[in-house]
Amino acid sequence: MTTDVIIVGAGPTGLMLACELALAGVRPLLVERRLAPQRDSRALTLHPRSIELMDLRGLAPRFLAAGATVPGWHFAGLATRLDFTALDSRHAYTLFIAQARTEALLAERAAELGVEILRGHETVDVRQDADGVEVDVRGPGGRRTLRAAYAVGCDGARSLVRTAAGIGFPGTDETLTGVLGDFETFDPADPALRRARARGVLVAPLEDGATRLVYLDPARMRVPSREPVTLEEFRASLTDICGSDCGVGRPRWLSRFGNASRLADRYRAGRILLAGDAAHIHFPAGGQGLNTGLQDAADLGWRLAAEIGGWAPPGLLDGYDAERRPVGAAVVENTEVQTLLAELTLVPQYAGPGAALRGMLDEFLGMAEVNRTLAARVSALDTVYPASRPDADPLEGRRMPDIGLTAAGSSATRFYELTDRSCFVLLDFAGDGALASTVEVGWGGRVEAVTVTGWDQHPELAGVSEVLVRPDGHVAWASRASDPAGRRAGRARALTAWAGAPGTGS
């Protein structure tokens, strides 16, 4: 089988990208150095926008059945929680789900779509020429070379793909570290737990009965992340922090993690692209890393499919870097802020002012507008991509609301039920009878025209007549023109700019 895209790394980002490509008719190959899926889970959450992406593809029920929903989250461990329920989403909550489970569900979907995963193969070199990319891998049968039109590095912070492509990874080295442990024995009734939580210790029950504890120990927060964690150290640190080791024992996994923050200086170098931790790393404040990677994959998948399909308009693939790199920069920035807020209370000379600052910010989080702003940021529901024109409709670049609707010839009851395949959706709110045939003739297979006969009112959609939605659920173009001629002119321009010239592609 001919491979269109080689994806190095079969973690959540790589698996998500493979699913998006396969759904669009592209042939991806996942190359993974591990023989088996990762058992340990550093990440434990899917935030609202990531769940929306699963919903766009009809996968939300699988994920919701495998986790537990939490109505809010935290910012820098402040006492006042971020209230996700105040956000405009059907999934206004965090889904508490282990990374290993997320990977398993995405691997299950990838298998359904016929994606091949080459496990036990380490990528040792990547080269590109004018026509494609060569990836050298070393596996049980020795070394061999794979070739495809494009390669995407989803291979983590030490990405070989990024290095081979000559993409810089500037940022800051770690200055502090935290510790996590998953334990089979733990005393949930220990009265010291109240003090532990008050001092920033995260206590999280895992789905298989184990308990995770995460903390920053003021006495050991400068220990390099490469130094292994022992059970004795964990118990001693807990005792120092809260007066008890909380009965932790039989550790499944102990790990130290640092606050190194880096952002790739570009997400694309010719036919090589980056996504997930290969493109951005930061302290795991707010649980945003895995989620940002999934969202990278959703933005990149349809663009790459357009290039391979031969219908991408000029600059479409470059739009991935233009849209997602600023998002990566913003995540790095807000995690650095959260890390600083935590560190201030741990350094003795700053402990007093640090506690006062945290108290002030905690008070601010009690204000609805402040809370909603930070909740939208951490959840990624505030992601708005740049508009293509100065006179663009305010909807452009925003997430399309998952409005309830009825549509001609469809059993769908809401918008996300129209998006289970990777194509543009053109929503006709004005009832233009010729729209479907026009789209089918010029952009058949790339755009699905849907005549909306009834819908839930939404403030962002007041007066809208047509909306073109990208495969990743963001609005490409919207019109509020009442005259058919105005809509036709805007529609033709938008379709060509986003879905390519009519009649092109394979």
Side-chain angles (χ1 to χ4, degrees), residues 20 49 52-53 56-57 298 302 385 397-401 415-416 419 423 468-476:
E20 288 293 288
R49 182 54 185 162
E52 285 187 346
L53 292 177
L56 283 165
R57 300 296 182 251
W302 63 276
Y385 298 133
R398 296 182 177 276
R399 301 159 34 250
M400 177 64 189
F415 172 67
Y416 282 10
T419 60
C423 70
L468 179 65
V469 185
R470 303 173 357 174
D472 61 358
H474 282 260
V475 175

Side-chain angles (χ1 to χ4, degrees), residues 9-12 15 30-41 99-100 103-104 107 117-122 140:
L15 287 163
L30 277 161
V31 179
E32 171 55 55
R33 65 181 177 84
R34 294 187 179 92
L35 282 169
Q38 181 86 338
R39 179 174 179 266
D40 300 320
S41 299
Q99 178 177 333
E103 288 189 20
I117 304 177
L118 197 61
R119 295 195 180 274
H121 285 74
E122 181 182 6

Side-chain angles (χ1 to χ4, degrees), residues 338-414:
Q338 293 187 66
T339 306
L340 178 60
L341 286 171
E343 185 179 10
L344 281 175
T345 60
L346 299 176
V347 179
Q349 61 265 41
Y350 298 126
L357 176 60
R358 288 176 64 85
M360 181 185 298
L361 293 175
D362 200 53
E363 182 180 347
F364 289 163
L365 277 183
M367 302 175 184
E369 188 58 33
V370 174
N371 195 299
R372 189 160 48 247
T373 297
L374 282 179
R377 186 164 302 171
V378 170
S379 68
L381 293 180
D382 73 342
T383 299
V384 180
Y385 298 133
S388 60
R389 296 161 55 93
D391 60 347
D393 188 274
L395 264 180
E396 188 170 319
R398 296 182 177 276
R399 301 159 34 250
M400 177 64 189
D402 185 25
I403 56 171
L405 53 71
T406 53
S410 172
S411 61
T413 60
R414 56 190 181 93

Side-chain angles (χ1 to χ4, degrees), residues 164-453:
I167 297 175
F169 203 39
T172 58
D173 295 332
E174 70 178 41
T175 60
L176 64 81
T177 57
V179 174
L180 71 79
D182 294 345
F183 300 95
E184 292 186 9
T185 60
F186 168 72
D187 181 6
D190 192 321
L193 275 177
R194 181 184 294 274
R195 190 181 310 115
R197 290 189 173 96
R199 296 185 178 180
V201 178
L202 171 68
V203 182
L206 303 179
E207 62 182 24
D208 55 3
T211 301
R212 169 166 296 179
L213 282 80
V214 186
Y215 63 79
L216 291 173
D217 181 352
R220 296 188 59 77
M221 67 181 183
R222 308 301 182 195
V223 176
S225 58
R226 63 179 177 273
E227 183 172 318
V229 184
T230 66
L231 177 59
E232 292 71 23
E233 176 192 351
F234 209 102
R235 284 173 166 164
S237 288
L238 273 180
T239 301
D240 288 343
I241 292 169
C242 65
S244 169
D245 67 7
C246 302
V248 296
R250 299 174 62 195
R252 292 182 180 174
W253 185 37
L254 299 172
S255 177
R256 202 183 311 272
F257 55 93
N259 69 326
S261 296
R262 299 188 178 278
L263 180 70
D265 57 24
R266 50 189 168 140
Y267 281 18
R268 181 189 181 192
R271 292 178 172 271
I272 300 175
L273 300 105
L274 305 175
D277 287 353
H280 42 76
I281 61 168
H282 48 80
F283 202 61
Q288 298 170 86
L290 181 150
N291 289 275
T292 306
L294 294 176
Q295 293 149 29
D296 289 343
D299 189 291
L300 177 57
W302 63 276
R303 295 176 186 273
L304 205 46
E307 287 288 336
I308 292 166
W311 57 264
L316 189 74
L317 188 53
D318 286 332
Y320 169 63
D321 178 277
E323 289 187 351
R324 291 305 299 173
R325 191 169 179 278
V327 171
V331 172
V332 168
E333 182 179 78
N334 91 55
T335 54
E336 287 178 332
V337 168
Q338 293 187 66
T339 306
L340 178 60
L341 286 171
E343 185 179 10
L344 281 175
T345 60
L346 299 176
V347 179
Q349 61 265 41
Y350 298 126
L357 176 60
R358 288 176 64 85
M360 181 185 298
L361 293 175
D362 200 53
E363 182 180 347
F364 289 163
L365 277 183
M367 302 175 184
E369 188 58 33
V370 174
N371 195 299
R372 189 160 48 247
T373 297
L374 282 179
R377 186 164 302 171
V378 170
S379 68
L381 293 180
D382 73 342
T383 299
V384 180
Y385 298 133
S388 60
R389 296 161 55 93
D391 60 347
D393 188 274
L395 264 180
E396 188 170 319
R398 296 182 177 276
R399 301 159 34 250
M400 177 64 189
D402 185 25
I403 56 171
L405 53 71
T406 53
S410 172
S411 61
T413 60
R414 56 190 181 93
F415 172 67
Y416 282 10
E417 293 176 348
L418 299 170
T419 60
D420 57 353
R421 64 190 188 94
S422 183
C423 70
F424 287 85
V425 177
L426 181 58
L427 296 172
D428 172 20
F429 292 91
D432 187 340
L435 185 57
S437 58
T438 300
V439 169
E440 181 60 34
V441 169
W443 292 272
R446 286 177 265 160
V447 182
E448 180 181 359
V450 176
T451 300
V452 181
T453 57

Side-chain angles (χ1 to χ4, degrees), residues 140-159:
R143 181 163 173 159
R144 60 177 167 139
T145 298
L146 309 172
R147 187 170 177 86
Y150 291 88
V152 183
C154 299
D155 50 340
R158 297 180 179 86
S159 172

